Amino acid sequence: MLKEYIDIGYTPDETDFVCEYHLEPASGISFEEACNHMAGECSIGGWSDISRLSPKLAEKLKPHVFYINKKKHIVRVSYPQDLFEFCSVSQIISTVAGNIFNSKMMTRLKLHDMTFPADPVSELWGPKYGIGGIRELAGVYDRPLVISTVKPKIGLDPATHANVAYQSFVGGCDLVKDDENLTDQKFNRFEKRVELTFKARDDAEEKTGERKMYMCNITAPTCEEMIRRANFISNIGGHYVMIDTIPTGWSSLQTLRDVTEELGLAIHAHSMSHAAFTRVGEHGISLYLITKLARLVGLDQLHIGNIADKVHENKKELMALHDCCVMDKVKSNEKMHILSQNWDGIRPTFPVVSSGSEPALIPELMKIFGKDVIIEFGSAIHTHPIGTVSDARACRQAIDAVLAGTSLEEYGKSHAELQAALNNGM
């Protein structure tokens, strides 16, 4: 029984789902025993030996533990595709990263990555717009897009919220969004905020001659309410909705993706809360896999972190997350626990770097990510010594300086807003 699922040297079929885990057995449990239990619990096994499956079906459905590295605590398992409901991300994750996390046979377990074969990839939506479609919506083709988050995130009334959005738009931001915990509170009701902020958007477009987009947070208690809010935004002339991914859940995200296909709305995804189970290197589910699932589900834009000290991710991880969002074929990277993935034409998700962005970081961000990135500015854009409009201008000026091949210091000599931001340590 110990070797029931262990099949070292097995070559996964091209239709198999392949997972890589970090696994640390509990005291008194051998590595092989823990591997065998994990594979069984994620498929046809369990705590008890139940022999009700026909030998033929059991052989067809059983997983294969085909790679074990005890020293590095790495295990790779190949799962037959018949174990999964292709179009259900919730079921897929419940299978390979579900009840097994409750097992006392291991002290730590982390699902690093998962390769999706061609059949399930073809049944999942993927982003409606992708990078090209978002650029067409925004009318921006040759530089990073700039987002501002209205701050303070909580406490503003709808009129003040709209005014902050207007200042951000006029200063040069392409996109303005709510923050993750602003939805429909008494001090800032959803419908009123939408109406006033879209009026601010229209006024800013008329003043600047540029397209502007407002991304209102439609996270809601139920899918029905989320859909109602999406329809409200579509009817008022919006092009975007924003959603809190982790609290909302995969099934609700897939429902939203279905709805936005008909409404013609892009989805901006805030990845807050992911660190509750991604941050520990040896336990949970990796941020890389969360990013992969977000693209499969069909989120058009996704926060992936930043190079600033505020967030946990490092530069190599951010580059990997960026590639996961935009590349059509991803090669395996053993050191980073990344498995190969062929996206089979699934549109890319536009990566958003956020949390701690400021004008001074733009040269490094563009060096790392190039032009196909959305740079989000939160508090930094609203603490400029001359005000929100000026810092929004400073952000655009910093991008212009990079595109012109000029240092920010040199460009700042003829651009007062950028110079003020640099002098203020922003």
Side-chain angles (χ1 to χ4, degrees):
M1 291 297 293
L2 179 60
K3 302 294 184 181
E4 185 176 358
Y5 304 117
I6 296 178
D7 190 5
I8 303 301
Y10 170 81
T11 301
D13 190 89
E14 63 180 9
T15 64
D16 289 349
F17 289 70
V18 177
C19 293
E20 178 174 305
Y21 299 89
H22 173 99
L23 186 152
E24 297 179 25
S27 177
I29 304 296
S30 71
F31 202 88
E32 289 82 2
E33 187 179 3
C35 290
N36 194 66
H37 173 69
M38 179 188 68
E41 182 65 33
C42 291
S43 58
I44 61 175
W47 287 99
S48 303
D49 182 18
I50 301 175
S51 302
R52 290 176 182 159
L53 291 178
S54 69
K56 183 177 181 180
L57 183 58
E59 184 63 29
K60 181 179 181 181
L61 294 179
K62 81 172 189 178
H64 299 266
V65 180
F66 67 93
Y67 176 86
I68 292 176
N69 187 323
K70 294 183 187 180
K71 186 177 180 179
K72 295 184 178 180
H73 299 279
I74 298 299
V75 182
R76 294 186 190 133
V77 185
S78 182
Y79 297 97
Q81 65 172 260
D82 285 353
L83 290 170
F84 302 94
E85 182 178 0
F86 286 0
C87 60
S88 174
V89 170
S90 295
Q91 188 274 339
I92 292 170
I93 288 300
S94 294
T95 298
V96 299
N99 200 46
I100 189 59
F101 279 92
N102 294 330
S103 174
K104 293 182 178 180
M105 295 186 72
M106 52 204 73
T107 57
R108 288 194 173 186
L109 179 70
K110 183 154 189 174
L111 176 55
H112 283 304
D113 196 12
M114 183 176 190
T115 294
F116 290 79
D119 288 347
V121 168
S122 68
E123 291 199 20
L124 289 161
W125 283 97
K128 175 180 175 63
Y129 289 96
I131 293 175
I134 294 297
R135 287 196 174 283
E136 187 173 348
L137 276 178
V140 177
Y141 301 95
D142 57 354
R143 61 169 173 82
L145 275 71
V146 178
I147 294 183
S148 171
T149 303
V150 173
K151 298 287 185 177
K153 61 168 73 176
I154 288 292
L156 299 180
D157 60 81
T160 306
H161 182 282
N163 183 51
V164 175
Y166 176 79
Q167 294 178 52
S168 303
F169 282 138
V170 170
C173 292
D174 307 293
L175 313 165
V176 170
K177 73 173 189 69
D178 297 341
D179 221 332
E180 78 281 355
N181 53 348
L182 179 63
T183 54
D184 185 35
Q185 289 94 322
K186 291 180 180 179
F187 57 81
N188 196 333
R189 287 300 187 187
F190 173 83
E191 285 85 356
K192 191 64 175 179
R193 180 170 80 252
V194 170
E195 291 171 355
L196 293 180
T197 307
F198 273 98
K199 174 63 167 58
R201 177 207 65 176
D202 294 342
D203 292 344
E205 286 188 337
E206 183 175 353
K207 183 175 180 63
T208 64
E210 297 180 341
R211 292 184 204 169
K212 305 295 179 181
M213 304 284 173
Y214 170 48
M215 300 178 292
C216 187
N217 188 2
I218 65 166
T219 302
T222 64
C223 282
E224 289 79 8
E225 177 61 15
M226 179 177 69
I227 292 168
R228 187 193 72 80
R229 294 178 187 182
N231 275 279
F232 187 86
I233 288 175
S234 176
N235 291 336
I236 207 169
H239 301 285
Y240 269 97
V241 292
M242 172 185 153
I243 198 75
D244 295 337
T245 55
I246 302 304
T248 298
W250 297 113
S251 295
S252 294
L253 291 173
Q254 289 192 255
T255 299
L256 177 62
R257 177 61 183 85
D258 290 350
V259 170
T260 55
E261 177 72 19
E262 299 176 4
L263 298 178
L265 297 171
I267 304 173
H268 177 90
H270 199 307
S271 58
M272 43 76 65
S273 296
H274 74 80
F277 50 88
T278 66
R279 183 168 181 170
V280 178
E282 300 81 26
H283 192 76
I285 301 174
S286 73
L287 180 54
Y288 187 88
L289 181 55
I290 296 298
T291 301
K292 178 180 285 189
L293 296 176
R295 182 175 176 181
L296 284 168
V297 164
L299 308 183
D300 292 288
Q301 296 173 191
L302 178 71
H303 292 236
I304 63 171
N306 206 328
I307 59 175
D309 293 335
K310 181 179 176 182
V311 296
H312 179 66
E313 296 80 33
N314 58 45
K315 292 181 184 179
K316 287 185 178 180
E317 183 177 5
L318 285 171
M319 292 176 70
L321 296 175
H322 177 274
D323 290 347
C324 181
C325 286
V326 305
M327 294 183 69
D328 191 51
K329 293 183 179 180
V330 178
K331 295 181 180 179
S332 61
N333 185 324
E334 187 170 336
K335 289 184 178 180
M336 297 193 70
H337 308 292
I338 292 171
L339 302 175
S340 62
Q341 181 66 55
N342 186 346
W343 289 94
D344 287 323
I346 290 284
R347 290 188 182 95
T349 292
F350 218 145
V352 181
V353 291
S354 56
S355 296
S357 291
E358 56 187 51
L361 287 176
I362 286 177
E364 188 172 2
L365 288 172
M366 291 180 66
K367 181 180 179 180
I368 295 171
F369 301 115
K371 297 179 182 179
D372 282 338
V373 67
I374 301 174
I375 306 176
E376 189 226 333
F377 301 88
S379 298
I381 209 168
H382 304 297
T383 55
H384 191 283
I386 319 177
T388 293
V389 172
S390 294
D391 197 53
R393 287 176 181 159
C395 295
R396 284 285 293 271
Q397 290 166 4
I399 291 175
D400 291 342
V402 175
L403 295 176
T406 303
S407 70
L408 299 192
E409 291 72 20
E410 185 63 30
Y411 205 75
K413 292 177 181 178
S414 56
H415 295 82
E417 295 85 359
L418 178 58
Q419 186 64 59
L422 296 177
N423 291 342
N424 199 44
M426 302 172 62

